[in-house]
Amino acid sequence: MTDLTYNLNGGFKPTAKRFADLGGPDFFPTPAWATFALIDNEKFNGEIWECACGDGSMSRVLGQTCQPVRSSDLYDRGYGEAGVDFLRAERTTDNVITNPPYNCAEGFVASGVKLAKRKLALLLRLAFLEGANRANTIFSKMPPARVWVFSERITFYPSGVEPKGSGATAYAWFVWDKEAEGPTELRWFKPGYKARYAQLRHVLVEQDRARGKTTR
């Protein structure tokens, strides 16, 4: 069930809200092209843990890195291991990559920095850079190595809704790299990922079906 305010004159508007999908708190499948932009510009070695995997939208793209991918979520959305609370996890991994629930993004930073031995990459609003509290905690004590700003806007829709229009919120990939030295670098993705990989999610889902791959 989706928020009825989404439907305007028979169409769906891009979300500016955080509760469009009422099937579980704060669930917004990540467009495949947004994940591909990350793995096209950042190299990940070793296991990747997608710890808020939802319906597997991001995990399927991460599988293109040829690195082992572990998928989990606090809620059961039909993909990966359900019932795993990342904020209380103790299991370490090489890399953590996810689009965290907005209402606990800071907790994901703290847990991710602790559990990721190599890299932590979180898809966050660009406005996450703001705020006195984060300036005094995250950015003064454990700043990211790189912030990748999208040149194109990401639009989040409830699962199963055809994407149309453009979002109004700017997003970026925040990358904590345990091997990086020096101050935080601000970088930009080149335009074109959105058009180039518009159908990527559908292709990956069909590949899963063709291989008879189960989600558990």
Side-chain angles (χ1 to χ4, degrees), residues 8-22:
L8 296 179
N9 300 320
F12 285 87
K13 63 182 179 180
T15 178
K17 302 174 68 177
R18 298 302 300 188
F19 299 100
D21 183 350
L22 301 183

Side-chain angles (χ1 to χ4, degrees), residues 62-80:
L62 296 177
Q64 303 303 297
T65 63
C66 296
Q67 305 298 316
V69 179
R70 179 196 180 197
S71 302
S72 68
D73 201 301
L74 180 60
Y75 300 95
D76 187 354
R77 305 188 193 279
Y79 194 97

Side-chain angles (χ1 to χ4, degrees), residues 66-193:
C66 296
Q67 305 298 316
V69 179
R70 179 196 180 197
S71 302
S72 68
D73 201 301
L74 180 60
Y75 300 95
D76 187 354
R77 305 188 193 279
Y79 194 97
E81 181 184 0
V84 179
D85 186 348
F86 183 68
L87 299 183
R88 298 184 178 182
E90 297 181 355
R91 177 186 184 276
T92 60
T93 187
D94 294 307
N95 309 281
V96 172
I97 304 176
T98 196
N99 175 5
Y102 176 71
N103 57 8
C104 52
E106 294 182 28
F108 269 67
V109 173
S111 291
V113 168
K114 178 179 66 174
L115 300 177
K117 293 181 286 188
R118 291 180 175 173
K119 289 184 179 181
L120 164 67
L122 299 180
L123 180 59
L124 302 167
R125 296 194 308 172
L126 186 58
F128 192 77
L129 288 169
E130 302 173 340
N133 182 61
R134 286 191 285 270
N136 293 327
T137 56
I138 293 174
F139 299 123
S140 65
K141 298 179 180 179
M142 46 183 176
R146 290 171 292 279
V147 176
W148 288 94
V149 181
F150 282 92
S151 302
E152 303 163 280
R153 289 288 172 88
I154 303 175
T155 306
F156 292 95
Y157 292 86
S159 181
V161 173
E162 181 182 357
K164 291 181 180 180
S166 179
T169 303
Y171 285 86
W173 277 105
F174 289 65
V175 179
W176 284 261
D177 184 348
K178 298 293 181 69
E179 298 181 356
E181 298 179 356
T184 301
E185 296 181 65
L186 188 61
R187 300 183 182 182
W188 286 263
F189 290 123
K190 294 181 179 180
Y193 283 102

